[in-house]
Amino acid sequence: MKKLFGSLLLALLLLPCGAGIALGGEELGGTLAKIKKDGVIIVGHRESSVPFSYYDSAQNVVGYAQDYSKLIVEAVKKKLGVSELTVKLVPITSQNRIPLLANGTYDFECGSTTNNLERQQQVAFSNTFFIIGTRLLVHKDSKITDFSDLKGRRVVVTAGTTSEKLLFLMNDRDKMNVQIISTPTHGDSFRSLESGRAEAFFLDDVLLAGERSRARNPSDWVIVGTPQSYEAYGCMLRKDDPQFKALVDETIASAQLSGLAESSYEQWFKKPIPPRGAIMNFDLSEAMKDLLRNPNDKAFQ
Amino acid sequence: MHWGLFFEQAPFGGVQYYQWLLRGFAVTVELSVCAWVVAFLAGSVFGIMRTLPHRAFRAAGGFYVAVFRNIPLIAQFFVWYLVVPELLPGSLGRDLKAMDPEIQFFILAVACLGLFTGGRICEQVRSGIQAQSRGQLSAGLALGLTLPQCYRHVIMPNAYRIIMPPMTSEILNMIKNSAVASTIGVIDLSAQANRLLEYSARPYESFIAITLAYVTLNFTVMFLMRLLERKIRVPGSTGGRHV
């Protein structure tokens, strides 16, 4: 065991020596060197993060975040000066995405991973490609237009979410007397709302739009209220790999500044999407418009 | 292991983590007591019906047992939670859903857990009645007692004594089953443990704590039931000492 550990350590120490390959004056390191050496780029993706990264009816990985993944693969090809690069797709989950990235199972992922300071201890994040705000889903005839209208109402949240914590805190702080229902899944929460048990559903706006697109009458439900918190979704990369991060950041920034990102947004958030032609009907938020004008990799918390 | 966890400040509510568990414990006790009242009443009524000479009563008792004993508890919880409010006549369902969720879910859980356990108590009551010799009833009737009087003064006092031990197990089962109520939003002991786990990311401490809480509750019930059993048993029958 000790011997094995020793040789692993040795290999790790020697790795940077072998990995540096000269290319037009610039020394390739980290992930780019690995891709060059193997001739393979391994892209992590989600299986059901609609509409970011998920399977369509033909089991292809599609989505708004997947569009960015494709752009990044193209940029890597260009950077390495190769015309053919084998692209391997690896499905990941919220639980395994960080360990699998760190141990080299995949090279990067664009899905629905929040860039926060805690995760930055373990991994790096690219420029932000999506910003969510926590808001309310209510019936279109309800009198609720913002959080101040929640006094004495029944509000549903999904257990363990940021919104649950925020709602309890808000309730304590402002003495709002909100009756809080906590359910295990977003689907359960939406059913509470749809059946009339809850009068509002407090969650990330894009997830609310996703639940709404599955409703019996999607047009009955509206997303309202001032966002109570923001989260930034970024592509996740290995830590301490400035060369690869610069390439990914540049790719995302140019897509956002050129209008490419906005047309991808139109496709995934305004039009019918696979597999069943549901429509998210989710407008660009103010925070998103701002992001498309000023690409950045800032975490909100 | 980090046992100081329970005295750390919870992320909301302005309390410490152990107070979450205490509130959950209180809800579990309240739910168990209320559900037991329902179970005991329903079980007794339908259990007696299953032994009556009239066919209609027997059929009704049989139907009750068949329905509530043969459907998994979690499915029954979801029926009470999702289906029953939609089936209630008039605006009753809407009124129910507009109640304070804490009270609403508690009422639904009491009904569900109580009637489910009642189905099992019903069979125990029936076996307690049928375990007695038929001569008891005949003798009662021959003395000029009416059928209800026979049940009240001759059969039931002995039936309840006979079924004390299995009934104790049933109460313990019911307390454990009450954890399923957390699936419909009752914030009981197990729901609080899950919440504790979500916010502290400490599974060992959370679940060891609720294991101890359930065991303590059940040991207390077991102890009290044993005292009661000793107090009411008839000398010469069901474990009572002969004199």
Side-chain angles (χ1 to χ4, degrees):
Chain A
M1 192 61 212
K2 212 169 184 179
K3 212 170 173 183
L4 180 72
F5 188 71
S7 45
L8 266 176
L9 202 67
L10 192 70
L12 271 177
L13 285 171
L14 291 176
L15 195 66
C17 314
I21 298 166
L23 184 102
E26 195 189 353
E27 195 86 357
L28 277 184
T31 305
L32 285 173
K34 175 180 177 275
I35 295 167
K36 174 87 175 169
K37 186 169 134 274
D38 299 344
V40 177
I41 182 165
I42 312 170
V43 183
H45 69 86
R46 300 299 294 266
E47 295 178 288
S48 59
S49 285
V50 184
F52 293 99
S53 175
Y54 65 104
Y55 291 126
D56 67 6
S57 45
Q59 291 287 298
N60 296 313
V61 184
V62 295
Y64 173 72
Q66 190 62 21
D67 283 355
Y68 281 100
S69 286
K70 286 175 190 155
L71 289 176
I72 292 164
V73 169
E74 287 310 312
V76 169
K77 271 192 208 167
K78 215 168 125 202
K79 173 92 178 172
L80 298 179
V82 294
S83 55
E84 279 310 309
L85 190 63
T86 312
V87 181
K88 226 174 100 184
L89 292 172
V90 173
I92 52 169
T93 69
S94 307
Q95 280 81 40
N96 68 19
R97 59 190 170 192
I98 290 180
L100 290 187
L101 177 67
N103 76 10
T105 303
Y106 69 94
D107 295 322
F108 78 95
E109 66 101 16
C110 304
S112 50
T113 309
T114 300
N115 174 5
N116 61 32
L117 298 179
E118 196 192 333
R119 287 184 184 142
Q120 284 179 18
Q121 313 270 333
Q122 298 168 284
V123 292
F125 285 93
S126 71
N127 273 347
T128 301
F129 60 79
F130 199 85
I131 295 174
I132 60 107
T134 44
R135 302 182 68 195
L136 295 169
L137 185 64
V138 298
H139 194 271
K140 66 175 175 4
D141 299 333
S142 102
K143 298 278 180 292
I144 300 170
T145 57
D146 209 341
F147 287 85
S148 53
D149 301 325
L150 293 181
K151 286 196 172 65
R153 303 296 193 112
R154 303 182 305 277
V155 182
V156 66
V157 286
T158 308
T161 56
T162 317
S163 320
E164 183 190 34
K165 202 162 130 186
L166 286 174
L167 185 59
F168 273 102
L169 287 175
M170 201 188 308
N171 210 10
D172 285 351
R173 192 187 59 216
D174 302 341
K175 306 263 173 298
M176 292 171 74
N177 195 26
V178 172
Q179 298 164 357
I180 301 170
I181 308 173
S182 295
T183 80
T185 69
H186 302 326
D188 290 331
S189 295
F190 185 66
R191 261 191 298 285
S192 287
L193 180 71
E194 211 175 17
S195 71
R197 212 166 232 135
E199 295 163 284
F201 178 8
F202 181 29
L203 189 69
D204 304 356
D205 50 10
V206 66
L207 296 175
L208 291 177
E211 289 302 325
R212 177 178 61 185
S213 72
R214 284 191 281 279
R216 258 167 268 159
N217 298 307
S219 56
D220 282 354
W221 305 97
V222 287
I223 298 171
V224 299
T226 327
Q228 294 297 299
S229 68
Y230 293 97
E231 279 177 31
Y233 287 177
C235 297
M236 197 161 57
L237 322 167
R238 267 184 289 274
K239 220 179 138 145
D240 301 322
D241 190 354
Q243 210 177 27
F244 187 48
K245 175 166 160 55
L247 178 69
V248 174
D249 282 350
E250 203 184 289
T251 311
I252 293 175
S254 73
Q256 290 174 341
L257 294 171
S258 70
L260 201 62
E262 207 173 331
S263 62
S264 165
Y265 187 96
E266 286 285 315
Q267 182 191 343
W268 294 104
F269 292 94
K270 302 294 288 174
K271 293 184 182 147
I273 54 170
R276 275 185 295 277
I279 302 172
M280 294 287 285
N281 197 13
F282 188 64
D283 292 322
L284 266 181
S285 64
E286 287 308 313
M288 272 299 283
K289 283 181 193 158
D290 210 42
L291 175 73
L292 295 183
R293 281 193 297 269
N294 308 298
N296 66 76
D297 66 351
K298 271 204 298 285
F300 284 97
Q301 63 281 103
Chain B
M1 292 287 159
H2 173 58
W3 295 107
L5 165 73
F6 298 107
F7 299 99
E8 282 170 15
Q9 197 68 24
F12 48 78
V15 294
Q16 292 169 335
Y17 277 130
Y18 81 91
Q19 283 162 298
W20 277 11
L21 292 184
L22 277 186
R23 279 193 55 191
F25 187 77
V27 171
T28 293
V29 171
E30 288 159 15
L31 173 59
S32 300
V33 170
C34 296
W36 175 248
V37 172
V38 173
F40 185 76
L41 292 177
S44 299
V45 168
F46 286 101
I48 291 169
M49 276 163 67
R50 291 208 72 178
T51 63
L52 291 178
H54 322 286
R55 187 176 292 171
F57 282 129
R58 284 209 306 272
F63 179 75
Y64 170 72
V65 172
V67 169
F68 286 92
R69 211 172 52 157
N70 290 333
I71 299 171
L73 181 57
I74 192 159
Q76 292 196 25
F77 266 110
F78 281 117
V79 168
W80 281 96
Y81 179 70
L82 295 172
V83 184
V84 169
E86 310 301 327
L87 295 180
L88 289 175
S91 68
L92 226 58
R94 234 187 3 262
D95 294 345
L96 178 70
K97 287 190 289 188
M99 280 173 80
D100 182 337
E102 224 170 292
I103 300 166
Q104 178 196 149
F105 298 158
F106 186 82
I107 292 172
L108 291 173
V110 166
C112 178
L113 189 62
L115 291 177
F116 171 82
T117 310
R120 305 167 59 94
I121 299 295
C122 171
E123 286 302 88
Q124 289 175 2
V125 168
R126 176 172 75 100
S127 62
I129 294 169
Q130 290 175 342
Q132 296 170 59
S133 111
R134 288 194 67 81
Q136 297 274 328
L137 181 62
S138 314
L141 293 172
L143 281 171
L145 297 177
T146 63
L147 188 65
Q149 281 172 331
C150 281
Y151 269 87
R152 164 71 188 83
H153 297 289
V154 180
I155 297 175
M156 293 321 290
N158 274 325
Y160 283 129
R161 286 185 170 92
I162 293 170
I163 63 171
M164 274 300 264
M167 207 140 89
T168 305
S169 318
E170 211 47 64
I171 298 178
L172 301 183
N173 267 337
M174 192 198 62
I175 292 171
K176 290 178 285 179
N177 285 340
S178 75
V180 184
S182 60
T183 55
I184 63 162
V186 177
I187 309 293
D188 69 343
L189 191 51
S190 59
Q192 291 285 17
N194 269 319
R195 181 176 279 175
L196 183 59
L197 173 62
E198 262 153 22
Y199 285 98
S200 69
R202 296 205 165 265
Y204 297 109
E205 291 83 349
S206 313
F207 281 92
I208 287 174
I210 70 150
T211 304
L212 290 177
Y214 276 113
V215 168
T216 310
L217 182 56
N218 272 352
F219 266 113
T220 311
V221 170
M222 227 166 77
F223 177 75
L224 292 177
M225 286 301 282
R226 197 152 297 161
L227 281 187
L228 183 64
E229 225 175 281
R230 203 167 297 161
K231 191 139 178 81
I232 64 167
R233 74 182 160 205
V234 180
S237 76
T238 58
R241 205 172 297 141
H242 288 264
V243 256

